Amino acid sequence: MALMYRAYFAFSNNPRVTSTGLDTSAVFGFASTLLDLLQREKPTHLAVVFDTDKPTKRHEVFEAYKGHREEMPESLRSAIPYIIRLIEAWRIPLLMMEGYEADDIIGTLAWKYADKGYTVFMMTPDKDFGQLVRERVFIYKPARMGNGIEILGVPEILSKWEIERPDQVIDILGLWGDASDNIPGIPGIGEKTAKALIAKYGSVEGIIANSHELKGKQKENVEAFAAQGLLSKQLATIDTAVPVEVDEAQLVLEQPDAVLMKPLLMELEFRTLSRRILGETASVQTDLFGQVTEVVTPAVDNEVVPLPATLLTWKDTNATYLLVQSQSAIKQLVDLLLQQPTFCFDTETSSLDPHTCALVGLSFCFEKGKAWYVSIPGNELPLGEVLELLRPVLESENILKVGQNIKFDLQVLACQGVEVKGSLFDTMIAHYLLEPDLRHGMDFLSETYLGYSPISITELIGKKGKDQGSMADVAPELVAQYAGEDADITWQLYQHFAPLLPQNGVDALFKQVEMPLVRVLSDIELTGVAIDTQALAEFSLVLEKQSLELEQAIYRLAGTTFNIGSPKQLGEVLFELLKLDPKAKKTKTGQYKTDEEVLSALAVQHPIAQQVLEYRGVQKLKSTYVDALPGMINPKTGRVHTNYHQAVAATGRLSSQNPNLQNIPVKTDQGREVRKAFVSGMEGSVLLSADYSQIELRLIAEISGDPAMREAFKQGMDIHTATAARVYHVNPGEVTAELRRNAKTVNFGIIYGISGFGLSQRLGIPRAEANELINNYFATYPRIKAYMEETIAKAKEQGFVETLMGRRRYIRDINSANATVRGYAERNAINAPIQGSAADLIKVAMINIWKRMKAEGLKSRMIMQVHDELVFEVMETEVDKMKELVTWEMAHAMPTTVPLNAEAGVGSNWLEAH
């Protein structure tokens, strides 16, 4: 659990979020740590140990044990099932036992196997494990962010704690206490005093017995709190005699289970990790079309170099970060900045909400190792006057502005009445174009490319939680060091990435699409969208009623009541009470699997499975959107302001968070009801929704150059009817609804490399018929098959594919010897240019529409982007103008031979408009 927490908070400033909005920070950090351990140490035996959520024996003797700990963050709690699945897929035993902590199990196993002659390493950052160290038992301590590891044996523990025996760690903790576990210790005795007392008296008991030799308050506290000290020692003692049952053979390290591992890593979007964990040197293989090819080298490895063993910090440099707090000093800085063609800047704020945060200061840098920090607290000028002095610099059209996640800085200053002008260079987005599958946070980039570990913000304001402070309360001198370093690092990253963009063919995409889009997204996010809370409240009641009805139906089908939300209880009902599947799968913890895949398979056997799926859908919709959206309304603006991420989805698609607009269900009546709550918030306005028509099919026709498909689109035919007519050799007027449905499935399925088996499953037809359908399709559109073959061959040769605008997607598994892995990579190679071109297309459309709206002085506003759809808040007097402007710009965002159609609708809410 300690490693999981460390992994989670390592990404606290820049969480890893999938394209579906799932926070995978903890899982990724845990997986990376585990993989590094396996590759570095190559252990013969391994186990992972978890705490349970049940009280332990320590709670029996001290009810307040760990009682003050904050609730686990929801995104961390949701990571636990994935981490458990990861461990199971790795074929590593997962151990836990009610009544005991993980520490006790680890201690028991460590001593047991050391006695058998093994060398045992306890991997943990927890200090109290020092008591367990002895001959052949070591602490393997993972250090922070790539600094290497620390192995502690008996000499290191004795030196660190200034003791004669490792078990005296318990005595020090008994005196000192342990705030993280709420072990009280003896008041007034800290670490230093505890070490000195143990050095003299040997144990807590020895100190209590000789308390008459102590003086003053120390003597008084030891005597008054003697029982508490002994209790604290008892609580700090790790039990090495836990009756845990584990067969030594279970601990032998095995290869990962690829069947379980691959889909899990795909779901988590851990592409690089997937290759590292499962990748193999390729040999003879077959591609999607059954053709045998011989590969002797793996795909191009475009990963960054490994982190250096030791990272530099600010203490290792001669960097100068100057604090600027006077009018004359600001003017001197402005004069310097106005002479620069380029500079980096960064804002420091009291929170991450640009509408409500206080601007604490701004840092500037234009040469390595030197930065200036203009602090607002302590400044002789008020904020308004400081910004007026800086305005000529920030609003200069002639100076390139550099930043890391610069959109936030633009928004903060916009809320203060300052418009940052001139060209932009965002180091986060530059790296995203260069390495779309990696992380893009500043700490990662700094450590990876500069070999430098930045100051952690927690050093200034504390860790997340109720006790975390605000940057506004930190001394300006300390903020100057932190903020100056941020600007300095970002400047150095700019110098590193700028020449790589043209070298990798993405400079035009960066300058013409991604950077102009930053301003558009900034504006959209600041504008926000109005929400009809009354409509949501009414819909919540409807869902609550449906939920209760489904609950009662499930109870009737089960013949008993139980907690439907508990996988454990649900599994017992399905597989023990109803006996639906005698071969039901269990996890290593002994719990039945009841995920969506399992329930969908059971639905054909018993109606209870379908009812549970519907129940879960209602619950998720209610909690994720219907009940959550009103709480997301900004109190200052009265609107919901989502956060669009440009550097998350490797395809180039935008993702959104808080709320995740991309995931609002649209295929069900219930999901569509949520769209009703998105309304126009300006008086005299309506919502306008514009959507591309069949954009991915139009793009595959464009990219492949297939004449038949291009001609169908040029003639304005319904592409699914046209495809059905050609594939089934009938006239368009003879195409039935069923034939059109089949053709539609093939049209979209081909983009994702659908197989004959997959098509047969989806359409419910024999596999032979499905294969014939695919063969006829390729005979009808031969250039599409040629495109697929050529794309796969190109990916195998160069390791990446490209969109129409040059966006690269690295396909690192394309030469894998594992057929499953390779097939997934081939489908990715086929789809990435199409999906990525669609992403580029709508981004260009957004930029052009936004520029025209500004240039023509329209009062209407762009408020949302969802997949291939744009939503606007439009003044009723501008509806006709906006319809024409938006659909024309969307249709002409990119020069193509295939016509790109966009359709627009208007309504009082999003559902009506769409």
Side-chain angles (χ1 to χ4, degrees):
M1 295 295 282
L3 291 172
M4 192 177 75
Y5 265 84
R6 281 168 66 96
Y8 175 77
F9 286 109
F11 294 95
S12 58
N13 290 331
N14 186 26
R16 285 186 62 96
V17 182
T18 67
S19 56
T20 62
L22 175 68
D23 186 333
T24 59
S25 303
V27 193
F28 182 85
F30 190 94
S32 300
T33 301
L34 182 53
L35 180 61
D36 180 68
L37 170 74
L38 295 171
Q39 294 180 339
R40 184 198 301 265
E41 303 301 339
K42 298 178 174 58
T44 57
H45 299 68
L46 189 70
V48 175
V49 190
F50 264 68
D51 293 316
T52 71
D53 56 2
K54 304 294 184 185
T56 67
K57 294 186 176 182
R58 292 177 179 85
H59 291 93
E60 295 174 8
V61 297
F62 186 53
E63 190 176 347
Y65 179 67
K66 294 189 177 182
H68 73 308
R69 286 194 173 181
E70 293 180 9
E71 185 73 13
M72 186 184 296
E74 184 57 37
S75 52
L76 177 54
R77 184 178 298 281
S78 66
I80 294 177
Y82 287 98
I83 290 176
I84 290 174
R85 284 175 60 192
L86 180 79
I87 295 165
E88 291 172 346
W90 230 310
R91 290 195 175 112
I92 297 171
L94 178 65
L95 308 178
M96 58 180 69
M97 190 171 182
E98 289 188 10
Y100 296 92
E101 292 185 55
D103 303 15
D104 302 319
I105 298 173
I106 291 173
T108 298
L109 295 179
W111 281 22
K112 174 182 176 180
Y113 286 100
D115 289 342
K116 290 188 173 185
Y118 285 97
T119 301
V120 184
F121 297 86
M122 306 173 292
M123 186 170 184
T124 174
D126 289 354
K127 60 182 181 294
D128 46 353
F129 275 72
Q131 65 186 273
L132 297 171
V133 170
R134 61 178 190 170
E135 184 181 0
R136 292 194 295 274
V137 176
F138 301 83
I139 291 176
Y140 187 98
K141 184 178 180 182
R144 177 185 173 274
M145 296 300 285
N147 282 330
I149 51 91
E150 186 180 3
I151 294 178
L152 305 175
V154 173
E156 290 81 9
I157 292 298
L158 299 185
S159 173
K160 175 183 173 66
W161 293 90
E162 300 169 22
I163 50 180
E164 295 179 352
R165 308 181 315 274
D167 65 276
Q168 288 177 311
V169 169
I170 307 170
D171 296 279
I172 292 176
L173 293 174
L175 292 172
W176 177 19
D178 189 342
S180 65
D181 288 341
N182 204 29
I183 297 176
I186 292 179
I189 298 181
E191 180 182 6
K192 186 176 180 181
T193 305
K195 287 178 178 178
L197 289 172
I198 295 301
K200 184 174 182 179
Y201 297 106
S203 66
V204 174
E205 292 85 350
I207 296 166
I208 294 170
N210 293 282
S211 62
H212 58 279
E213 297 182 10
L214 306 178
K215 295 180 180 179
K217 191 69 175 177
Q218 188 178 87
K219 176 178 184 294
E220 182 181 327
N221 282 345
V222 168
E223 292 177 349
F225 294 94
Q228 183 170 294
L230 292 170
L231 172 63
S232 296
K233 179 176 178 178
Q234 180 184 351
L235 294 171
T237 302
I238 294 175
D239 188 349
T240 57
V242 177
V244 58
E245 295 180 6
V246 56
D247 186 344
E248 185 173 331
Q250 289 179 259
L251 304 176
V252 175
L253 195 62
E254 299 180 70
Q255 289 297 314
D257 184 341
V259 175
L260 294 178
M261 184 69 81
K262 185 61 184 180
L264 173 62
L265 297 178
M266 286 163 54
E267 180 181 347
L268 296 169
E269 299 179 4
F270 291 171
R271 299 167 183 84
T272 304
L273 266 183
S274 178
R275 187 190 62 77
R276 291 176 62 197
I277 294 170
L278 298 173
E280 303 168 358
T281 303
S283 52
V284 175
Q285 53 187 241
T286 58
D287 62 17
L288 281 175
F289 309 103
Q291 297 168 329
V292 177
T293 57
E294 186 176 351
V295 180
V296 292
T297 56
V300 172
D301 190 349
N302 205 37
E303 290 190 272
V304 296
V305 295
L307 298 178
T310 303
L311 300 174
L312 299 176
T313 68
W314 67 271
K315 296 176 183 177
D316 304 311
T317 70
N318 295 317
T320 302
Y321 303 135
L322 303 172
L323 178 61
V324 179
Q325 290 187 300
S326 68
Q327 183 177 13
S328 60
I330 296 173
K331 287 183 176 179
Q332 289 177 16
L333 174 60
V334 168
D335 289 340
L336 273 174
L337 293 173
L338 286 172
Q339 297 172 38
Q340 310 305 319
T342 308
F343 66 74
C344 171
F345 84 100
D346 185 35
T347 59
E348 297 301 334
T349 60
S350 61
S351 77
L352 296 178
D353 181 353
H355 292 280
T356 59
C357 70
L359 180 58
V360 178
L362 299 95
S363 55
F364 299 87
C365 178
F366 53 82
E367 62 179 279
K368 178 181 177 180
K370 189 172 185 180
W372 292 259
Y373 176 65
V374 181
S375 174
I376 305 305
N379 205 302
E380 67 181 33
L381 298 177
L383 172 61
E385 293 184 31
V386 170
L387 291 177
E388 283 306 312
L389 289 175
L390 294 173
R391 188 183 296 275
V393 172
L394 295 169
E395 296 192 348
S396 171
E397 296 274 12
N398 302 318
I399 303 175
L400 172 67
K401 315 297 191 306
V402 177
Q404 167 78 9
N405 190 21
I406 203 169
K407 180 180 66 175
F408 176 74
D409 303 300
L410 266 59
Q411 292 175 330
V412 169
L413 290 169
C415 289
Q416 298 293 336
V418 177
E419 181 184 358
V420 177
K421 297 179 182 178
S423 299
L424 304 175
F425 190 106
D426 192 321
T427 50
M428 176 182 74
I429 296 172
H431 185 254
Y432 167 66
L433 290 185
L434 294 168
E435 289 286 356
D437 290 302
L438 298 186
R439 287 181 280 151
H440 315 292
M442 194 186 74
D443 283 7
F444 175 79
L445 299 181
S446 176
E447 293 174 355
T448 303
Y449 296 98
L450 307 178
Y452 183 92
S453 180
I455 299 169
S456 170
I457 192 171
T458 59
E459 294 180 27
L460 275 70
I461 63 174
K463 295 182 178 180
K464 280 188 174 182
K466 63 180 181 181
D467 296 326
Q468 188 178 59
S470 165
M471 192 66 84
D473 301 324
V474 181
E477 293 78 12
L478 295 177
V479 182
Q481 178 69 40
Y482 173 84
E485 183 191 64
D486 271 5
D488 184 12
I489 289 170
T490 304
W491 176 258
Q492 293 180 54
L493 291 172
Y494 156 70
Q495 292 182 310
H496 182 85
F497 294 144
L500 295 179
L501 293 171
Q503 290 174 26
N504 286 268
V506 291
D507 196 47
L509 183 66
F510 179 77
K511 291 177 179 176
Q512 296 170 21
V513 180
E514 296 294 353
M515 286 302 94
L517 186 68
V518 169
R519 296 190 186 279
V520 181
L521 295 178
S522 172
D523 197 27
I524 293 175
E525 290 179 17
L526 285 176
T527 300
V529 60
I531 299 292
D532 185 345
T533 54
Q534 181 61 35
L536 286 175
E538 292 171 1
F539 188 38
S540 180
L541 293 176
V542 172
L543 292 178
E544 180 67 26
K545 182 181 178 183
Q546 290 179 358
S547 180
L548 290 172
E549 289 172 351
L550 286 165
E551 189 177 83
Q552 292 306 312
I554 291 167
Y555 292 158
R556 285 194 296 273
L557 290 167
T560 184
T561 60
F562 63 101
N563 181 359
I564 303 170
S566 165
K568 182 176 185 294
Q569 293 185 34
L570 176 62
E572 290 169 352
V573 168
L574 295 177
F575 304 116
E576 294 180 7
L577 180 64
L578 299 179
K579 303 185 185 306
L580 294 188
D581 185 356
K583 297 180 181 179
K585 294 180 179 179
K586 288 185 177 182
T587 66
K588 285 199 175 181
T589 60
Q591 187 171 292
Y592 290 105
K593 292 185 176 182
T594 59
D595 55 25
E596 185 176 351
E597 183 181 353
V598 170
L599 291 175
S600 297
L602 290 176
V604 298
Q605 299 180 37
H606 198 288
I608 193 172
Q610 184 59 42
Q611 297 279 14
V612 171
L613 282 170
E614 291 180 19
Y615 175 83
R616 285 181 177 177
V618 170
Q619 289 284 305
K620 183 177 180 180
L621 186 66
K622 186 174 184 295
S623 62
T624 306
Y625 291 107
V626 179
D627 292 344
L629 278 170
M632 295 180 182
I633 296 174
N634 189 295
K636 188 172 181 178
T637 67
R639 289 173 172 248
V640 168
H641 302 268
T642 190
N643 184 18
Y644 286 99
H645 297 289
Q646 277 176 270
V648 170
T651 58
R653 292 277 192 183
L654 293 174
S655 62
S656 68
Q657 194 178 19
N658 297 325
N660 181 353
L661 300 175
Q662 319 286 354
N663 260 20
I664 295 177
V666 293
K667 293 183 178 179
T668 64
D669 291 337
Q670 290 176 334
R672 286 191 286 271
E673 280 292 315
V674 176
R675 289 194 169 205
K676 274 189 182 178
F678 289 76
V679 296
S680 179
M682 284 196 303
E683 189 175 345
S685 69
V686 292
L687 291 190
L688 183 149
S689 166
D691 206 349
Y692 276 114
S693 168
Q694 299 169 335
I695 192 59
E696 290 188 342
L697 291 178
R698 292 173 187 271
L699 286 172
I700 196 172
E702 178 70 24
I703 293 170
S704 69
D706 189 89
M709 186 172 277
R710 282 186 172 189
E711 189 60 29
F713 279 121
K714 285 180 180 179
Q715 292 183 11
M717 296 179 65
D718 173 73
I719 191 61
H720 305 312
T721 300
T723 299
R726 287 176 172 270
V727 168
Y728 289 106
H729 308 295
V730 297
N731 293 321
E734 297 174 309
V735 173
T736 65
E738 182 183 0
L739 295 183
R740 184 184 183 278
R741 178 177 66 88
N742 291 355
K744 182 177 180 179
T745 302
V746 180
N747 271 329
F748 286 113
I750 289 297
I751 298 173
Y752 296 92
I754 196 168
S755 65
F757 174 75
L759 185 62
S760 70
Q761 293 288 99
R762 199 169 298 181
L763 294 178
I765 59 178
R767 192 183 302 188
E769 185 181 337
N771 285 329
E772 183 182 2
L773 189 53
I774 291 176
N775 291 335
N776 288 344
Y777 183 91
F778 285 138
T780 300
Y781 302 127
R783 276 301 307 160
I784 291 182
K785 182 173 184 181
Y787 156 75
M788 296 168 74
E789 293 172 333
E790 290 162 7
T791 300
I792 290 172
K794 191 174 181 181
K796 288 179 184 293
E797 179 185 347
Q798 64 185 19
F800 63 87
V801 292
E802 291 180 302
T803 67
L804 289 171
M805 296 195 71
R807 182 184 302 277
R808 290 186 180 181
R809 179 75 188 276
Y810 293 96
I811 313 293
R812 294 184 170 97
D813 292 329
I814 195 70
N815 288 315
S816 172
N818 184 302
T820 303
V821 173
R822 187 178 62 258
Y824 175 74
E826 290 174 351
R827 287 187 286 275
N828 242 346
I830 293 166
N831 179 250
I834 302 162
Q835 218 182 114
S837 293
D840 294 340
L841 178 72
I842 198 164
K843 287 178 177 179
V844 173
M846 291 170 72
I847 294 164
N848 294 343
I849 292 167
W850 184 79
K851 285 180 177 178
R852 275 193 63 185
M853 289 170 66
K854 294 280 185 186
E856 297 178 25
L858 298 174
K859 295 180 181 178
S860 301
R861 303 185 290 191
M862 193 185 308
I863 58 171
M864 286 189 289
Q865 187 272 356
V866 182
H867 302 302
D868 300 316
E869 177 185 8
L870 298 177
V871 183
F872 302 82
E873 204 169 51
V874 177
M875 301 304 297
E876 291 178 351
T877 55
E878 297 175 352
V879 167
D880 292 340
K881 171 71 176 175
M882 282 293 294
K883 265 190 175 182
E884 183 276 330
L885 184 157
V886 170
T887 54
W888 194 92
E889 291 294 349
M890 289 177 74
H892 295 84
M894 193 181 288
T896 57
T897 57
V898 175
L900 306 179
N901 289 356
E903 300 166 350
V906 174
S908 60
N909 60 59
W910 187 11
L911 181 62
E912 281 184 14
H914 185 74

